[in-house]
Amino acid sequence: MADADVMDKLVSLCKRRGYVFQSSEIYGGTGSVWDYGPLGVELKRNVKELWWSAMVHQRDDIEGLDSAILMHPRVWEASGHVDGFSDPLVECSNCHRRYRADLPEVESGQCPSCGTREAFGEARSFNLMFKTFMGPVEDAAATTYLRPETAQGSYVNFLNIQGAARQRVPFGIAQIGKAFRNEITPGNFIFRTREFEQMEMQFFVRPGTDEEWFETWKEVRMAWHVSLGIRPEKLRFHEHGPDELAHYAKAAVDIEYEYPFGWKEFEGIHNRTDFDLGRHQEYSGKRLEYIEPGSNDRFLPFVVETAVGVDRTMLVALADAYREEEVAGDARVVLALQPRLAPLKAAIFPLVKKDGMPELGRKIHEDLRKESIPSFYDEAGSIGRRYRRQDETGTPWCVTVDGPTMDDGTVTVRDRDTLEQVRVSADALVGWIRERLTA
Ligand code: GAP
C-alpha cells in the first residue's frame, strides 16, 4: 500500500467512524481546522490524561497550570513573538496563492498551483500570530493575540506557582491548552493546523545544570511515546542545527515520527536558557529571580521545555495503529490502538437476539459503563460484521454473550490484535479489563 494511500484511507476512516470531521464542512470547510467527533474526543481525552498523569500526577517536581489564551499584549513583545515569530512568505504573481518561501517545491520559482515560472518576487516576513482586539475599541492600544504557544503563561506565573506550591528549583510547570498559528502552509490532515492543542512543560533549573536536564528530558519524553505503543523504529531524534533554532533556544531536539508523508517533527525539546524569564523581567519591570533557600543565591533559572501537540499525538497514534490485514481469507482494517488510548474499551454482542442474550448483554454493558469503562452495545448484523466494525474503531475487546453464558455465566472475549478468544466470567469482566488497562 502506497504511503499516500494510507493518509487518504486514514482521513476517510476518521470521518466514517466519527474521529475527525472538517470544521464547518457544510460551508465548504475552514482551512486547516478540524473537529473531533464522538470517538476523536475520547481519544483526545485519553492522550491528555496519559500525558497529565505522567507529567504531573506521577511526579513531585511538576505542578499543573491552566492559564488564559488571551494575555497582556506586552507578553508577546517580551517573548519575541511580535518581532520574530514569522515565516518567509512569497505570493504567485499569477494566481496570488501564498507559500512559505522555504518549501522545496517553491524554491525552483515555479508556482506549484498554476505552474507559472518565475512566479515569485521577494519573500516577505509573515507573522503567524492571530491578532484580535480586547474590549470595545478596535485600535492599536487594544490589540492582542491568540497565544501561539502555552509556554508564556507558565513563565509569567513562575513565581506565583513556585511560591504557592512551595517548590524548589529544579521544578516544572505543565499545561495543556489551545494554541493558534496562522500557518501559511498548513496541511497533512491534523499534522499542521491553525488551531491546535499543546501539552507543554517548562522545567526551571539552575544555570549550569541545563544541559544535563536537557538530556534527561529527551529520554523521558521518548520513553513516554514508546509507552503509548508507538513503534520505536518509527521514532528518532533530530538535533537542530544553528539555522533551525527558534529565537529563544540555545539547543533543540525534535522527536520525529515517520508519518506516511515522511519523517517530521512530533515533539520539540528546547533549552530556552533564561531568555523568557529575562525578557519578562525586563518588559514587566518585576523581579523574577529565584532565591535559593539555604545559600540565598539569587538567579534567573534556565528553562528546559518539552512541547508536543495533542492533535499531532493523535495523528501519530492513528497512523501507527492503522493496518490492513487478511483474516481467514477476509480483508479487515484494524486500528491497533493501545487499549489505554482506545476510545472504547469493549463492545458487547449478544450472539442472537433471543433467549435472554440481549438482556444479559445490556446488563454487562451497563456494568462496564458504571465503572467508567467506555463500552458499546451492538446486536445488529452477523458477529463477523460486528467484529469488523469494532476492529476499524480500534476497540480492543469484543465480548459475546452466547450459549454457554446462559449456563455458566462466562462470556467469550475476543482480542482485537491476536484474535484469540478466551472465556471470562461476566462477573469478573470489569476486573479483567482493568488489569489489562493498567498492565
Ligand atoms: N513552546 C514551544 C513550541 O511551541 P513548537 O515546536 O513550535 O514549540 C511544539 O511546537 C509542538 O506543538 C510541535 O512539536 C507540534 O507537536 C505542535 N505544533 C506546533 N505547531 C503546530 C500546528 N500548526 N499544528 C499542530 N500541532 C502543532
Side-chain angles (χ1 to χ4, degrees):
M1 186 176 25
D3 282 348
D5 290 349
V6 176
M7 275 314 283
D8 287 347
K9 286 178 177 176
L10 196 59
V11 173
S12 137
L13 181 150
C14 282
K15 179 169 180 192
R16 193 167 64 247
R17 288 288 168 215
Y19 272 96
V20 185
F21 307 121
Q22 201 182 5
S23 163
S24 317
E25 191 186 335
I26 60 169
Y27 287 95
T30 314
S32 283
V33 186
W34 299 87
D35 295 339
Y36 293 95
L39 295 182
V41 69
E42 294 292 335
L43 174 57
K44 208 175 193 203
R45 287 171 62 105
N46 293 341
V47 164
K48 291 192 276 187
E49 271 164 30
L50 288 167
W51 186 88
W52 196 258
S53 165
M55 298 296 272
V56 182
H57 289 167
Q58 292 176 39
R59 302 185 64 110
D60 287 330
D61 58 356
I62 299 186
E63 304 291 340
L65 171 70
D66 183 0
S67 69
I69 289 171
L70 296 174
M71 301 182 74
H72 195 287
R74 289 276 285 167
V75 165
W76 305 110
E77 289 170 30
S79 70
H81 284 83
V82 170
D83 287 336
F85 192 56
S86 46
D87 278 341
L89 172 137
V90 287
E91 185 173 322
C92 172
S93 55
N94 180 44
C95 70
H96 300 290
R97 283 202 177 234
R98 292 169 167 191
Y99 298 95
R100 272 176 64 152
D102 52 1
L103 287 181
E105 58 268 39
V106 167
E107 273 168 358
S108 70
Q110 185 169 7
C111 175
S113 173
C114 69
T116 302
R117 288 178 191 278
E118 293 178 25
F120 307 115
E122 278 286 284
R124 64 188 171 90
S125 186
F126 177 77
N127 195 292
L128 302 183
M129 284 197 295
F130 280 98
K131 235 184 220 179
T132 187
F133 300 97
M134 278 267 210
V137 187
E138 286 194 19
D139 66 11
T143 300
T144 189
Y145 304 92
L146 300 186
R147 67 178 175 199
E149 60 171 9
T150 64
Q152 298 303 324
S154 299
Y155 303 137
V156 299
N157 278 295
F158 163 65
L159 283 184
N160 282 341
I161 290 183
Q162 186 267 319
R166 296 178 31 241
Q167 279 286 0
R168 291 181 176 201
V169 167
F171 79 96
I173 301 178
Q175 279 215 73
I176 299 179
K178 289 271 189 180
F180 302 82
R181 296 184 189 177
N182 196 5
E183 301 277 3
I184 303 170
T185 39
N188 282 324
F189 193 33
I190 52 173
F191 174 78
R192 181 171 287 115
T193 56
R194 294 194 167 109
E195 172 177 343
F196 55 100
E197 238 174 320
Q198 289 187 312
M199 304 185 284
E200 296 199 300
M201 192 280 301
Q202 316 302 319
F203 205 71
F204 300 88
V205 306
R206 192 179 234 285
T209 64
D210 48 306
E211 289 177 14
E212 207 176 307
W213 276 110
F214 183 73
E215 292 306 314
T216 301
W217 278 109
K218 272 169 63 178
E219 299 310 322
V220 173
R221 294 304 304 146
M222 181 63 99
W224 185 75
H225 296 302
V226 174
S227 81
L228 295 186
I230 309 303
R231 288 168 287 177
E233 65 274 20
K234 293 275 199 174
L235 294 164
R236 71 179 187 194
F237 288 116
H238 164 76
E239 303 273 348
H240 282 214
D243 53 335
E244 288 175 280
L245 286 177
H247 61 274
Y248 49 72
K250 160 179 162 189
V253 71
D254 289 341
I255 295 178
E256 292 189 334
Y257 177 76
E258 191 179 18
Y259 301 87
F261 44 87
W263 286 100
K264 297 228 178 302
E265 178 181 351
F266 178 8
E267 166 153 16
I269 296 144
H270 312 121
N271 183 343
R272 295 180 73 134
T273 68
D274 58 0
F275 175 83
D276 300 275
L277 289 183
R279 294 274 288 202
H280 286 305
Q281 182 165 265
E282 181 191 334
Y283 278 66
S284 68
K286 300 272 163 23
R287 293 186 87 157
L288 295 179
E289 290 156 326
Y290 171 72
I291 304 169
E292 191 172 65
S295 70
N296 277 339
D297 277 358
R298 253 175 200 279
F299 58 86
L300 273 185
F302 272 31
V303 170
V304 176
E305 170 186 62
T306 74
V308 65
V310 176
D311 316 68
R312 209 168 278 186
T313 308
M314 292 177 70
L315 178 59
V316 168
L318 288 165
D320 207 65
Y322 185 88
R323 315 246 198 289
E324 289 181 9
E325 296 175 350
E326 217 177 88
V327 175
D330 283 340
R332 76 160 182 165
V333 171
V334 60
L335 271 187
L337 288 168
Q338 203 208 53
R340 288 183 303 161
L341 282 178
L344 294 169
K345 310 303 179 197
I348 317 298
F349 309 151
L351 184 63
V352 288
K353 282 197 248 179
K354 56 181 185 180
D355 301 334
M357 290 184 201
E359 293 72 19
L360 189 50
R362 282 195 184 279
K363 179 181 176 307
I364 294 171
H365 171 59
E366 288 307 323
D367 287 348
L368 293 183
R369 295 207 312 184
K370 269 189 227 142
E371 292 295 322
S372 298
I373 297 177
S375 151
F376 184 77
Y377 176 81
D378 189 3
E379 56 180 31
S382 71
I383 281 285
R385 284 183 64 130
R386 284 183 259 173
Y387 279 152
R388 295 292 167 270
R389 281 199 287 266
Q390 293 308 318
D391 287 345
E392 227 189 36
T393 298
T395 312
W397 299 292
C398 288
V399 177
T400 306
V401 175
D402 45 23
T405 316
M406 312 316 284
D407 298 331
D408 64 9
T410 63
V411 288
T412 303
V413 183
R414 177 252 202 193
D415 184 283
R416 175 198 63 201
D417 303 333
T418 62
L419 304 177
E420 200 186 318
Q421 302 199 358
V422 292
R423 296 210 70 84
V424 177
S425 162
D427 293 340
L429 194 61
V430 166
W432 189 93
I433 291 176
R434 276 214 192 295
E435 217 173 278
R436 279 151 187 81
L437 289 175
T438 49

